[in-house]
Amino acid sequence: MTAYQDTSGRLLAERYRLVSELGRGGMGTVWRAVDEILGRPVAVKELRFAAGMDEDERRRLIARTLTEAKAIARVRHTAAITVYDVVEEDDRPWIVMELVESRSLSEVIATDGVLPPKRAAEIGLELLAVLSQAHRSGILHRDVKPSNVLIGHDGRVVLTDFGIARVEGDPSVTSTGMLVGAPSYISPERARGRIPGAPSDLWSLGATLYAMVEGRPPYDKGSALSTLTAVMTEELTPPANGGPLVPVIAGLLRKDPQERFDENTARHLLLQVLNQDDSSPQPAQPPAPSAAQQAAGPSARPPFGAAPATAADGPAYPGGARPRDPFPAPGPAPRPRSQSATAAMPMPGTGFEPLPTTESVTVLGTRSGRRAARLLVALLVLLVVAGGGVWVAMAQQDKPNTPLPGYERVAMPGGATIEIPQGWTLTRLSAEHWRYRGPSGYLDVAWTGTPGSSAVAALRTEESRTAASYPHYHRVDLQKVGYRGWDAADWEWTYTGGDGSALRSLDRGFATDGHHGYTIDWTSAAAGWGGARNHELMNAFFSSFQPAT
């Protein structure tokens, strides 16, 4: 067929029906499609060959496409596209991915204007999290820029186009000496032809943050050569609209990669911006380096697992880390604001780390003392063993604000608070959806100002929408429960994680009044679900929750 023949309506691999074109680049087209076996929408990336392209160039583009698929598959994070399948037809690969209804960040900036520093920090944290996950997996993205960032209509942030990523240990693509990527977002060391590392992606993140608040990249001289020269030689002009983001942007755009902020420092500063009181004008400050970091030098990186939680930490909601209405009114999902889209919604079981079945904890007093402390603040009302599983319904505690030993009270969306074990880490997936992570599992909390009229009906609707996306989904229970006199329901289910492990989730949805609806969703290894530690955690979550007042 010709290079740009319309292929809408085509059926790939007797399964994927191409519907309409979503976007086109120099080497391919992204299609909206339907998986006719599972009945779900997908995105399909088609590799196209220009007329007259020689065989060597064709092989190189095929290798690049396969490298992209491998890179995406290795980055298990909700801010990265999930690859469902790779189909070979017409002697070339077609990548089948999740579909995200979205606009690119560059389109958002061009249409809506520059972003306030806090929103830029939120997006920056998600990009930093997926880049950290990629770097730990031996992958450099090498093309971080606003046009490769999707902002979903549900608020999800997605980093796309791993097409020029370098995958450690993958010999399928060799270096040709060609500098690929957008000149305005290429780091100085790459512009000089040096071998890049993780700091190179962090430079691109800094340039993307700069563009979010200024509407343009930090260096743009109109031509590739002059722009690259400026990247290598010119001093940075601080962003006029950066506010508290200026220190982190300046630190990420340091020309020497050895002096550039590392992932931990950037994360710390972005969190400071996010948590900063709007009335406080004081700029964020980087954390003091530890003795180990000082000894290791400025390029030291944290070990795997030492970084704060990311959105890859686990799918507490159906559809992965998608910010879900925690207590939706039954009925069809709202239509997106626009029809622009490019691949994505995460497939549960593919976007998180495997969960351990045991946990190493610091002993705080005797076991009986800890148990007695729990009894001071919570009453176990019902313990039901059904189908090999356990679910717990908690009554209102006598002293909800009494701290639990070894726990700390933390914020939840919508002005609520909850007690979690000390040292757990937080990722804000959206303004209404936060995630706390600990060694035993993942706690997602979400809020809505427009709860529906029935918690159990809302959870049944959510199950019907999303259960099919869970590998080996099995409902344990879904029923109305007694919870402090509020309209509440529990949805409990099991499924198989991406690594083959059995996982179990309990999602409690409830409304405290007509303007505050919440979900508390706990996911952990199924093997340890009936253990004392899991019971303790769920008791603590449900008994210590306090709604906004």
Side-chain angles (χ1 to χ4, degrees):
M1 70 179 184
T2 60
Y4 291 100
Q5 178 180 340
D6 182 12
T7 57
S8 59
R10 177 175 179 174
L11 187 65
L12 294 176
E14 300 182 350
R15 177 170 183 173
Y16 306 108
R17 178 77 64 184
L18 304 185
V19 176
S20 60
E21 186 176 308
L22 291 172
R24 177 180 294 182
M27 291 172 290
T29 300
V30 178
W31 294 89
R32 180 188 296 272
V34 175
D35 181 341
E36 296 195 340
I37 292 180
L38 296 181
R40 67 179 174 188
V42 295
V44 176
K45 188 168 186 177
E46 173 191 8
L47 176 64
R48 290 184 180 269
F49 300 128
M53 182 177 292
D54 63 33
E55 192 60 31
D56 286 343
E57 184 66 9
R58 285 176 177 247
R59 282 197 297 266
R60 188 185 70 81
L61 291 179
I62 289 173
R64 171 176 165 174
T65 301
L66 293 175
T67 294
E68 178 180 13
K70 292 176 184 177
I72 299 172
R74 286 174 61 170
V75 181
R76 302 196 305 179
H77 194 282
T78 56
I81 299 295
T82 298
V83 173
Y84 294 144
D85 200 358
V86 176
V87 175
E88 185 173 348
E89 288 201 7
D90 299 333
D91 296 322
R92 56 201 168 105
W94 305 61
I95 305 178
V96 182
M97 303 173 284
E98 55 176 342
L99 183 72
V100 171
E101 304 292 348
S102 60
R103 293 186 295 166
S104 71
L105 178 57
S106 58
E107 182 184 353
V108 170
I109 295 170
T111 303
D112 302 342
V114 298
L115 280 60
K118 278 196 173 182
R119 178 55 179 154
E122 286 180 342
I123 295 173
L125 280 167
E126 289 299 298
L127 296 177
L128 180 64
V130 71
L131 287 173
S132 299
Q133 187 68 257
H135 296 161
R136 289 196 295 265
S137 301
I139 297 166
L140 296 179
H141 186 279
R142 302 201 300 169
D143 201 17
V144 178
K145 57 186 179 184
S147 61
N148 281 340
V149 178
L150 302 182
I151 307 299
H153 298 323
D154 59 2
R156 181 184 172 198
V157 177
V158 178
L159 179 62
T160 66
D161 201 351
F162 281 75
I164 64 171
R166 183 170 66 82
V167 181
E168 185 177 300
D170 184 359
S172 61
V173 181
T174 58
S175 174
T176 62
M178 181 187 302
L179 184 64
V180 288
S184 297
Y185 298 92
I186 287 176
S187 66
E189 61 269 25
R190 286 192 63 212
R192 291 187 171 95
R194 297 176 183 170
I195 298 176
S200 181
D201 278 346
L202 296 182
W203 165 281
S204 302
L205 173 61
T208 300
L209 285 168
Y210 191 109
M212 287 189 226
V213 296
E214 291 296 284
R216 57 179 175 81
Y219 301 98
D220 187 0
K221 302 299 182 179
S223 71
L225 182 59
S226 57
T227 297
L228 290 172
T229 301
V231 164
M232 291 185 287
T233 62
E234 291 188 7
E235 292 298 319
L236 176 69
T237 300
N241 302 312
L245 274 179
V246 170
V248 68
I249 290 175
L252 289 171
L253 292 178
R254 290 177 179 173
K255 296 190 186 299
D256 186 344
Q258 296 297 313
E259 296 179 357
R260 196 169 301 151
F261 282 175
D262 64 10
E263 292 165 1
N264 271 358
T265 303
R267 183 182 295 107
H268 174 88
L269 291 178
L270 289 171
L271 285 171
Q272 275 197 358
V273 173
L274 205 60
N275 296 324
Q276 192 175 58
D277 186 344
D278 290 332
S279 64
S280 172
Q282 296 164 1
Q285 296 296 327
S290 66
Q293 288 174 322
Q294 293 176 12
S299 62
R301 295 290 182 273
F304 179 79
T310 70
D313 288 335
Y317 289 133
R322 171 171 58 95
R324 188 192 66 174
D325 183 345
F327 193 8
R335 296 180 58 130
R337 293 190 295 272
S338 73
Q339 296 301 314
S340 57
T342 333
M345 279 301 290
M347 177 76 161
T350 61
F352 55 92
E353 302 168 13
L355 291 170
T357 57
T358 60
E359 179 184 15
S360 175
V361 296
T362 302
V363 176
L364 297 170
T366 64
R367 181 179 300 274
S368 60
R370 293 197 303 273
R371 187 173 300 159
R374 300 294 177 270
L375 294 176
L376 289 174
V377 296
L379 175 65
L380 178 62
V381 173
L382 187 60
L383 183 64
V384 178
V385 179
V390 179
W391 65 271
V392 181
M394 298 302 304
Q396 183 173 7
Q397 70 283 0
D398 293 331
K399 297 182 179 180
N401 292 316
T402 303
L404 301 172
Y407 286 67
E408 60 181 339
R409 184 162 290 277
V410 298
M412 283 178 62
T417 63
I418 198 169
E419 295 276 346
I420 65 169
Q422 293 173 354
W424 282 27
T425 49
L426 165 66
T427 297
R428 288 178 175 84
L429 302 174
S430 73
E432 295 79 27
H433 178 188
W434 299 2
R435 170 168 295 160
Y436 293 93
R437 176 182 183 264
S440 294
Y442 311 98
L443 177 71
D444 276 39
V445 290
W447 169 84
T448 180
T450 56
S453 59
S454 168
V456 70
L459 289 181
R460 285 172 179 163
T461 299
E462 188 68 16
E463 181 191 37
S464 67
R465 289 172 176 165
T466 58
S469 64
Y470 284 101
H472 304 107
Y473 170 85
H474 172 70
R475 182 210 279 189
V476 177
D477 207 351
L478 199 167
Q479 65 174 353
K480 187 178 180 66
V481 296
Y483 186 46
R484 308 197 200 168
W486 298 326
D487 178 29
D490 280 356
W491 173 27
E492 186 175 353
W493 70 99
T494 62
Y495 63 101
T496 301
D499 62 344
S501 62
L503 300 177
R504 190 159 179 161
S505 291
L506 174 66
D507 187 344
R508 176 163 294 179
F510 54 96
T512 59
D513 56 38
H515 302 287
H516 293 84
Y518 299 90
T519 56
I520 302 175
D521 189 337
W522 171 243
T523 298
S524 67
W529 191 261
R533 177 58 173 168
N534 203 59
H535 290 170
E536 175 189 294
L537 289 169
M538 287 195 293
N539 291 351
F541 299 149
F542 295 139
S543 66
S544 67
F545 168 80
Q546 285 297 293
T549 56

